[in-house]
Amino acid sequence: MRALHWFRSDLRLADNTSLRAACDGAEQVLALFVFDRNLLGKSRPAAPRLRFMLRCLTQLSQRLEAHGSALVVREGDPAQIIPRLVEEIGVSRVSWNRDYSPYAKRRDASVQRRLEKAGVRVDTFRDRVVFEGHEIETQGGTPYTVFTPYKRAWYGKFECPAAPRPPRDWLKPGVPGLESGTVPSESDLGIDRDRTELPPAGESAAGERLQDFLEHDAAGYAERRDLPAVEGTSRLSPYLRFGTISIRSCLRMALEASGADPGAGEGIAKWRDELVWREFYHAILDRFPAVSRGPFRPEYARVEWENDEKLFAAWCDGRTGYPFVDAAMRQLNATGWMHNRARMVVASFLTKDLLVDWRWGERYFMQRLVDGDPASNNGGWQWAASTGTDAQPYFRIFNPVRQGERFDPEGHYVRQWVPELAEIPPKFVHQPWMMAGGTQEYPPPLVDHAERRTEALRRYKTARNSAS
């Protein structure tokens, strides 16, 4: 019997639920990746993420070859390509791991209908998350919309997964004689001019990164995770985004590390909470797909945004005159990654200081982030804009100067990414305009934070009152 596994956001062999299931009872397994033409057009501006994905696919192809298989690559509409391949080589079972964005669910339903109409068995699996949206619900059977009670329910249901069997024990050979195709180059996709500094790609790199974090940084995670100038976070988000490591492996190895070193328990527990945040935002997108287009809290659909394109461009380029904000945006543009504390600050600044619609920032992040994930990115932006699930009211507005002074007190992060301020004393590095004579190389603040905070509060209050 021949089976087909459709790779998507699960670019690994180890602990891959659908791939493992496809190999059960099959003599040969076609390992397929489709460059979805419907997504590829939208992804062209997202050159950093697409380049990273190409490298992950190349690594995946090499690992399959080392196990006597091959990665089959096609480009087009999956709803046409997969049924055609199935008929061509005589596949009797097709499987994949589920995704939860509105587009992915529509696409997968279309593929499944066509396959089942042709008499082909289709199996789909939970793999991207530990629990899907419908699995963590209130006693009344409704989805959680606030993180803290969701987290309690999540931990109440979680059991540490067992270590999976290695692929060499179960991976089946590919289909002989089938033209595999090749992973396209960056020039093939028109993204070869992008110069974003990418992290090492692939399954091996993901495993090494997790091991390094647990051995060296996890113990201090609770104290260091908000300091952007230090290596205090796991930096695993790109690997989780493309599934070169499983969420189960992360949690299992974290618990093992905590057991081996009780002193690291607090830091590891805090990191596990961040993984549950990821689960929560996936559940929200799954159960409330309208958040991909508008605010979770409909009363804030009436916020009157200014949407000044010049201010937005300055924010994108890291030219706002607020050093902590500018350092973060320049880090994003150079590396395709931004520290989580910085993400909160720049999102608050865009929406509540510049009064630009959060969806503008959400789109820009998806163009630049290597780890850009529809669920986490949307959840983070709506959290910062006070339009999402967060229980805090709309008047939480980050002061970009105070945030810099608190989380980058010596200005190391600012100096790394804003070289114009390299010689500024720590006292003034987060507000250089206060230094006698200022600085000629760095722009003055685009807006006055105190004034814009007052205006933002007025507009949010007006929107809420008009909706009641």
Side-chain angles (χ1 to χ4, degrees), residues 303-338:
V303 173
E304 184 183 351
W305 305 108
E306 287 187 3
N307 291 340
D308 186 306
E309 293 187 0
K310 291 184 179 179
L311 294 182
F312 178 66
W315 176 86
C316 292
D317 294 341
R319 297 182 289 103
T320 69
Y322 284 92
F324 194 77
V325 172
D326 291 345
M329 295 306 297
R330 296 185 194 186
Q331 180 186 36
L332 170 65
N333 291 331
T335 70
W337 187 83
M338 186 191 293

Side-chain angles (χ1 to χ4, degrees), residues 376-449:
S376 296
N377 190 50
N378 179 273
W381 271 97
Q382 295 224 40
W383 183 92
S386 300
T387 63
T389 60
D390 186 42
Q392 290 288 332
Y394 63 85
F395 47 76
R396 180 190 53 211
I397 300 176
F398 288 129
N399 182 316
V401 173
R402 300 293 172 262
Q403 289 286 307
E405 292 174 338
R406 179 179 177 186
F407 297 111
D408 186 34
E410 297 300 315
H412 297 310
Y413 180 64
V414 164
R415 291 189 183 88
Q416 178 181 1
W417 295 107
V418 187
E420 308 96 293
L421 302 178
E423 304 302 323
I424 299 293
K427 180 180 179 180
F428 298 108
V429 73
H430 293 292
Q431 43 185 345
W433 60 88
M434 297 295 292
M435 187 175 66
T439 173
Q440 299 299 315
E441 295 79 18
Y442 186 69
L446 286 176
V447 294
D448 180 276
H449 172 71

Side-chain angles (χ1 to χ4, degrees), residues 246-360:
S246 76
I247 184 67
R248 294 176 299 280
S249 292
C250 291
L251 289 162
R252 175 177 55 79
M253 292 180 66
L255 289 170
E256 290 174 356
S258 184
D261 181 9
E266 181 181 355
I268 290 175
K270 192 66 178 177
W271 183 62
R272 288 167 54 208
D273 286 351
E274 295 303 310
L275 297 179
V276 181
W277 269 106
R278 175 182 176 273
E279 296 262 311
F280 177 61
Y281 284 144
H282 274 79
I284 291 296
L285 182 60
D286 186 18
R287 299 298 297 271
F288 301 96
V291 298
S292 64
R293 303 184 303 275
F296 179 83
R297 296 186 179 188
E299 63 268 30
Y300 296 123
R302 297 170 179 256
V303 173
E304 184 183 351
W305 305 108
E306 287 187 3
N307 291 340
D308 186 306
E309 293 187 0
K310 291 184 179 179
L311 294 182
F312 178 66
W315 176 86
C316 292
D317 294 341
R319 297 182 289 103
T320 69
Y322 284 92
F324 194 77
V325 172
D326 291 345
M329 295 306 297
R330 296 185 194 186
Q331 180 186 36
L332 170 65
N333 291 331
T335 70
W337 187 83
M338 186 191 293
H339 190 278
N340 187 59
R341 168 58 55 176
R343 295 189 198 205
M344 292 188 286
V345 174
V346 302
S348 176
F349 185 82
L350 182 71
T351 55
K352 295 174 179 175
D353 283 68
L354 301 186
L355 295 170
V356 171
D357 191 328
W358 59 269
R359 284 164 288 205
W360 289 34

